[in-house]
Amino acid sequence: AQSVTQLDSQVPVFEEAPVELRCNYSSSVSVYLFWYVQYPNQGLQLLLKYLSGSTLVESINGFEAEFNKSQTSFHLRKPSVHISDTAEYFCAVRGSSNTGKLIFGQGTTLQVKP
Amino acid sequence: KAGVTQTPRYLIKTRGQQVTLSCSPISGHRSVSWYQQTPGQGLQFLFEYFSETQRNKGNFPGRFSGRQFSNSRSEMNVSTLELGDSALYLCASGEPGTDEAFFGQGTRLTVV
């Protein structure tokens, strides 16, 4: 069985400041790791994913996440946030076997203030 | 390519009624998964269908059921609605090997 813990339910930050959203997971098997973003009244959009290979993955809008197997973490970071980054962020895991089932963390609300 | 389409977007039902939600996946995708999102429980996996067969099931009562048609469109049904079933129901489609789930905008169900 897998589980995901997002350590912060809300993260307030000023515009142009750096931010880190923390995610830890638990699994007895190899997993794929994902970060999704959800804007109000919308579905989920994939931000980035780790499947294998380089432990540092990046998105097109400046976010990055690093897979740390020893600490079972997949923290999301951005060096300088914008107002438009205000949203809810979900960390998720999926067993590397052929399944679409995702296990999500409880979510972190990122509030970017001007 | 059109995205994942969920209908209806909003729904209000009375306790005790039943409801059917629809999901049309991205063309070519054979996997469809359903999730329930509530403020208290977060995002919880309901079930996954692949090529018309249920492949995985979450921990929900038997009142929650689903099916998938030969064109990969999926429906989920909730019978004997309870107030606690009020939630955003999200559908995601995917294809083995792509490693990514594409989500629809969801159906907001309110049970009164």
Side-chain angles (χ1 to χ4, degrees), chain B residues 6-26:
Chain B
Q6 291 188 246
T7 55
R9 287 291 311 278
Y10 301 92
L11 207 49
I12 300 175
K13 288 287 188 180
T14 304
R15 195 169 43 180
Q17 287 186 311
Q18 74 163 19
V19 67
T20 299
L21 312 182
S22 179
C23 173
S24 293
I26 290 172

Side-chain angles (χ1 to χ4, degrees), chain A residues 6-86:
Chain A
Q6 291 184 242
L7 298 159
D8 306 293
S9 59
Q10 292 190 10
V11 173
V13 63
F14 286 105
E15 195 173 18
E16 297 183 7
V19 70
E20 178 179 78
L21 307 184
R22 297 179 293 170
C23 171
N24 286 92
Y25 70 93
S26 172
S27 177
S28 57
V29 299
S30 297
V31 294
Y32 295 156
L33 294 155
F34 305 84
W35 275 100
Y36 282 87
V37 59
Q38 185 177 36
Y39 299 100
N41 299 315
Q42 298 291 319
L44 301 173
Q45 298 173 31
L46 180 68
L47 199 55
L48 43 76
K49 60 186 177 184
Y50 171 78
L51 307 177
S52 64
S54 173
T55 57
L56 184 65
V57 290
E58 299 176 351
S59 72
I60 58 173
N61 56 356
F63 283 94
E64 65 178 31
E66 185 158 19
F67 170 59
N68 188 318
K69 189 174 182 180
S70 63
Q71 297 185 4
T72 59
S73 67
F74 190 55
H75 301 333
L76 181 70
R77 289 186 280 265
K78 189 170 186 180
S80 176
V81 295
H82 303 288
I83 295 286
S84 59
D85 293 324
T86 295

